[in-house]
Amino acid sequence: MRKSDKKIDNQLRVLLTEVCDSARESVEGFQWLTHRVNYANFPESLHIICVFDCEENLKHYQKMDQKLFPVLIQAKLKTMGIILKKLTPHISYDCEENCLKDHEGNWAKRLEQH
């Protein structure tokens, strides 16, 4: 990883931690988030995975009309000067319950699918 990539990654981690903290207070069942990125194709390769505790809470969030994650993430990325025309393809959702069931709790293996 180049020095400039590391700097961007550190900024992303700080901003996404702020999104995570805010969402934990506002979204029932939300637990944590992570990101994956190929800096040779940044920001187009940015992918953010939002993780809920169980399938029920994840489905409840997905049925909501007003989705909080795209709004929060877009606002934070904008502070870095990153503007993606369509953010929703860069965000996916998962839950700990399904990781435990499908991958025996191995998030590294599960995240390869995202």
Side-chain angles (χ1 to χ4, degrees), residues 28-29 51-63 93-99 101-102 110:
E28 184 176 346
V51 179
F52 285 75
D53 56 356
C54 65
E55 183 72 22
E56 182 180 338
N57 286 330
L58 172 57
K59 284 184 178 181
H60 175 73
Y61 172 80
Q62 290 175 324
K63 288 179 183 176
Y93 303 91
D94 208 336
C95 70
E96 292 177 340
E97 179 180 53
N98 288 342
C99 179
K101 179 177 65 176
D102 299 338
R110 186 161 185 91

Side-chain angles (χ1 to χ4, degrees), residues 8-71:
I8 293 169
D9 196 62
N10 286 336
Q11 289 176 311
L12 276 174
R13 280 190 288 120
V14 168
L15 295 177
L16 291 175
T17 297
E18 292 171 7
V19 169
C20 187
D21 292 343
S22 179
R24 262 196 240 129
E25 296 173 9
S26 309
V27 180
E28 184 176 346
F30 172 72
Q31 299 296 303
W32 54 278
L33 59 77
T34 190
H35 72 286
R36 300 177 64 146
V37 64
N38 174 357
Y39 285 104
N41 189 26
F42 181 79
E44 290 79 16
S45 66
L46 178 62
H47 188 82
I48 300 163
I49 302 103
C50 303
V51 179
F52 285 75
D53 56 356
C54 65
E55 183 72 22
E56 182 180 338
N57 286 330
L58 172 57
K59 284 184 178 181
H60 175 73
Y61 172 80
Q62 290 175 324
K63 288 179 183 176
M64 295 172 59
D65 289 333
Q66 183 66 19
K67 305 273 191 297
L68 182 65
F69 288 103
V71 173

Side-chain angles (χ1 to χ4, degrees), residues 96-112:
E96 292 177 340
E97 179 180 53
N98 288 342
C99 179
L100 190 60
K101 179 177 65 176
D102 299 338
H103 293 94
E104 299 174 349
N106 184 339
W107 275 102
K109 186 174 181 180
R110 186 161 185 91
L111 291 173
E112 289 175 5

